[in-house]
Amino acid sequence: PHNATSFFTNQEMKPLGAGLKLVRGYFQSVRPSLGRVLVNVDITAGILWTEGPLLDVVMTYARNNMRKRDIHDLKNLSDFDVAALNRYLKGVRVTTRHLPGLRGKEIFRFDALGADKIKLEEDGRTVERYFLDMYNIKLQHPSICCVWLSRRAALPLEMCIIQAGQLYKRKLSRDDPIRSDILAFSTRRPEQRISTIVNGLGDLMYDSSDYMRRAGLRVATQPVTFEARKLEMARVVYKSGPQASQPFMHDVNGGAWNLRSRQFVQGATLRTWAIINLCPGGGRGAMARPQVQQFVTMLVRSMRDCGMRVEMDQPEIHDLVNTGRIEEVRRERPYSIVPDQAFRTAFITFIDRICSTRVKHWGDIVTGTATQLLLVDKVVKANPQYCANVAMKMNLKLSGTNHLPAGEPITFIGSAPCMVMGADTSHPGPGDGDKPSISALATSVDEHATVYVTTVRVQERRVEIIADLQEMWAVSQFQKYQSAIHKRNNIAPQRIIFYRDGVSEGQFAEVCATEVQAIRDAFITMKLPQPKITFMVVGKKHHVRFFPERQNADKTGNAPAGLVVDTDVAHPHEWDFYLQSHAGLLGTSRPMHVSVVADDNRFTADQIQELTFALTHNFPRATRTVSIPTPVYHADIACGRANIHFDPIPSGIGLTGLAAYKQAFKQVHPKLATVSPFMQGQQNNAQQPLSEHVLDVAYERN
């Protein structure tokens, strides 16, 4: 099996269940570089359908996802269950037991009716009777659901066999448990990865290829070696204690720093909050009331240690077993859960197994209540470090500021009105029907490029160019911030630093020309002077890896954070570079690939690299440098969490066409969307309300 760039073997395999397995493969592509052509080879992983009875796969999936206990539960399926099977298995190619020599056909759809109910158009016989008459086959399960292989051919599940060698093509959600299996299977330390690549060159058979010999080409058997540079780390700013009047400049070593004995730059005030336990009880996967109270005590201590003010030591704890009733929480107990007089500063923490979409839709869209979702498996094992991580997220959602980056690049951003932006688009998978694409734009409004406003839009599926970029513009928020904090009225950005994610190399020119013009048109519409624009494309979905010599590696064997490569493997004619901004944790680190497409600001190569690296130090809920610039990170998170803007209905049910999706898309609740983080000023932080930008920035899974 193979796709456009990779092929897969069965030499290494891991079963996933429900008819799927993980297999190892090899990626290969040809890339131009300075003075030579390079072959980019890497190992990769693919998900394949396992050859076997379709009925077994359907039953396993039904047990895991549809709460079906045995095969008899496949009778009289609901529309919801049929839609779930269609999403999972539509398009999978199957062969048949009764005609084993015929070519396989793709599953067209499932049908709740059994073979004893579906009748042939020609003579009115049931499918069950047809198999008995034509093939002398008596079906064992004639009343369970059937599968259609075309508009005219329905077959019993027991007669179908999934064909071998098919790639699983559907897009995995961020919460899909398969992701953890893929991560474990794909994770390889640098020395293991490069060894597998070199040893696997024999499978690629370059030396024995007639095409290569006729063209007079030869591929070296050893990786390219070259020298690289390491950028200096920026510094980060915290408070050194509750009485400290001066900020503390924290050094960053190896791409990480420690929050111990430090406090947030601006600690928020938590006045009214509550805990809702969505998995009460005892045993695995549940949490009893005493455990919740013990966790709350630890969390409150951590929040105060980090510089937050907590006015309610003992929040009310409520058990809610049926997560389908989340929408009824405030209607049932409006004053004990969320007091109206303190609605803007109310905060609800949910302890849950996994229903983030419903919780976030209820809080961000329906009620306008800031929420923090905690997974029960993490909470039962909570320690001070985990609680400090939770405190970072809660401080942001209450308008606090965790830390600030420092250094020459950040000083440059603050030296003149400047907006740093990140944009991304995400697209539906091959089996997602007519679901649209999602675009997101994150824009900084402060002089540290730390405070961001984020907007999300629905647009035509599989269109990479952001359609509503001019409407998504956030200059008004920038001007409000400048007016409130710096008393500068009607200030227009003089510089735009734009990082764009998710663009293939063949679309660089088109995306740049269209989106840069949209920015200029926005300034023309607002009758503002034209800014100087630097437009860069950030890529992470590539297969370039760097393997340092032992004496230059970090403790994980990876290249150190700050490694930059802009010569030997860079493009010979375009301005690009690779930057590994983060320290390795698991496996082999992947650097970002930055292509500078337009530059009105006339940066030097060093300046643009140092600026990009500095912008990986200011992701607000981490004490590490991140793998891509913070504005791109925010835009990526917003794209991934766009489903919270829709009613939590089964994906694809009830919505058809772009217009329907746009109509169903709900904006953030006005009680959150209209509250600005800076309108109260910085003199009296105790009165600071929930913030628009913090909620948008926090559009991530937790």
Side-chain angles (χ1 to χ4, degrees), residues 33-80:
S33 67
L34 297 171
R36 57 186 168 182
V37 175
L38 299 177
V39 179
N40 182 197
V41 180
D42 192 20
I43 58 173
T44 186
I47 305 176
L48 297 183
W49 288 100
T50 303
E51 183 180 17
L54 176 62
L55 178 57
D56 292 350
V57 174
V58 170
M59 194 63 245
T60 303
Y61 179 81
R63 286 195 191 101
N64 296 338
N65 300 277
M66 296 159 52
R67 299 182 180 181
K68 308 298 182 185
R69 293 176 297 178
D70 56 47
I71 200 166
H72 300 291
D73 291 333
L74 296 179
K75 301 176 182 178
N76 302 316
L77 294 179
S78 66
D79 291 344
F80 177 87

Side-chain angles (χ1 to χ4, degrees), residues 164-365:
Q166 298 180 79
L167 287 170
Y168 180 82
K169 298 179 180 179
R170 299 188 184 280
K171 188 175 182 178
L172 298 178
S173 68
R174 296 195 173 209
D175 299 334
D176 198 311
I178 290 179
R179 284 185 175 272
S180 60
D181 293 314
I182 296 175
L183 178 62
F185 184 77
S186 304
T187 298
R188 294 230 167 163
R189 290 179 60 87
E191 62 272 17
Q192 296 172 327
R193 192 182 196 97
I194 189 62
S195 176
T196 303
I197 293 171
V198 172
N199 293 335
L201 290 178
D203 294 333
L204 300 174
M205 297 186 295
Y206 293 134
D207 291 340
S208 59
S209 169
D210 289 338
Y211 297 102
M212 297 286 287
R213 283 200 298 266
R214 290 170 186 169
L217 298 176
R218 186 178 64 86
V219 178
T221 58
Q222 294 300 316
V224 175
T225 59
F226 52 87
E227 293 186 355
R229 296 182 295 118
K230 183 176 179 298
L231 302 179
E232 289 188 12
M233 294 282 176
R235 305 178 80 186
V236 292
V237 179
Y238 283 94
K239 284 176 61 178
S240 57
Q243 306 301 322
S245 58
Q246 296 295 325
F248 177 83
M249 303 290 286
H250 204 307
D251 291 327
V252 178
N253 297 312
W257 59 93
N258 202 310
L259 188 55
R260 188 181 296 114
S261 302
R262 302 287 175 255
Q263 292 193 339
F264 299 142
V265 169
Q266 189 174 357
T269 297
L270 179 59
R271 292 180 173 179
T272 308
W273 61 309
I275 305 288
I276 297 181
N277 186 4
L278 298 178
C279 43
R284 186 176 181 180
M287 198 164 186
R289 181 65 64 93
Q291 291 177 290
V292 177
Q293 292 172 334
Q294 182 179 1
F295 168 73
V296 168
T297 300
M298 187 185 305
L299 178 60
V300 169
R301 185 184 306 118
S302 290
M303 287 191 287
R304 286 175 172 159
D305 288 344
C306 291
M308 295 178 64
R309 288 171 288 280
V310 183
E311 296 184 358
M312 179 185 286
D313 286 7
Q314 296 295 328
E316 295 187 28
I317 301 173
H318 301 271
D319 296 335
L320 188 65
V321 178
N322 182 2
T323 57
R325 291 172 56 241
I326 291 175
E327 293 83 353
E328 302 175 15
V329 170
R330 190 168 187 271
R331 185 165 62 250
E332 290 179 354
R333 291 174 285 215
Y335 297 104
S336 63
I337 297 287
V338 185
D340 286 339
Q341 66 270 22
F343 196 80
R344 286 184 174 180
T345 54
F347 199 102
I348 296 181
T349 298
F350 288 86
I351 299 175
D352 175 38
R353 291 185 182 90
I354 179 168
C355 68
S356 57
T357 300
R358 187 175 290 273
V359 167
K360 291 300 181 181
H361 180 83
W362 176 83
D364 298 356
I365 310 300

